[in-house]
Amino acid sequence: QVHLVESGGGLVQAGGSLRLSCAASGFIFSNYCMGWFRQAPGKERDFVAGISRSGGNTYYADSVKGRFTISRDNAKNTVYLQMNSLKPEDTAVYYCAADYVLGELVTHVPDIYDNWGQGAQVTVSS
């Protein structure tokens, strides 16, 4: 059974940094594209960043390019999201998600992902 657990969320001032982690279990992690999404109150769940199975391909939403970095450690079955220069509009619940893929594909479409974590709250104060 696929299990994804996010950690590392919290409260930070604007301009600060946080690193989210997502620990995976119950599946062959290296066979899955991994993504980070976020959902603010009253809004839809939006794509933030994605990474291919080997980590060779990454993809970012325009709103986070240059500030956020996604990475993965297949030996530790963990995907990370380093968030720098945080802004109040980054406040949301952040979810990691896993999608079984062939090759080095990265998708930004939430409906494609089959497996989701429970979410981690990130709050950025102004």
Side-chain angles (χ1 to χ4, degrees):
Q1 181 178 358
V2 173
H3 197 47
L4 300 170
V5 179
E6 299 95 337
S7 62
L11 173 65
V12 64
Q13 287 188 331
S17 298
L18 282 174
R19 188 175 84 153
L20 300 180
S21 300
C22 174
S25 61
F27 63 103
I28 302 174
F29 185 69
S30 58
N31 284 349
Y32 284 68
C33 161
M34 299 298 296
W36 284 98
F37 294 79
R38 66 187 181 186
Q39 188 166 20
K43 296 188 176 182
E44 294 184 349
R45 190 169 296 187
D46 291 331
F47 172 79
V48 175
I51 189 166
S52 63
R53 301 193 313 179
S54 73
N57 292 334
T58 57
Y59 184 44
Y60 296 92
D62 288 342
S63 59
V64 307
K65 278 182 184 176
R67 300 188 298 123
F68 290 11
T69 302
I70 188 171
S71 62
R72 66 190 294 163
D73 186 337
N74 285 350
K76 295 183 178 180
N77 289 355
T78 302
V79 62
Y80 306 96
L81 185 68
Q82 177 66 44
M83 304 184 292
N84 299 328
S85 302
L86 282 160
K87 305 175 182 180
E89 50 264 44
D90 294 318
T91 295
V93 177
Y94 283 71
Y95 299 90
C96 72
D99 175 38
Y100 178 78
V101 293
L102 298 176
E104 289 292 293
L105 296 175
V106 180
T107 182
H108 65 285
V109 180
D111 290 347
I112 298 296
Y113 287 81
D114 298 323
N115 308 284
W116 294 83
Q118 83 289 350
Q121 177 69 47
V122 172
T123 303
V124 184
S125 63
S126 57

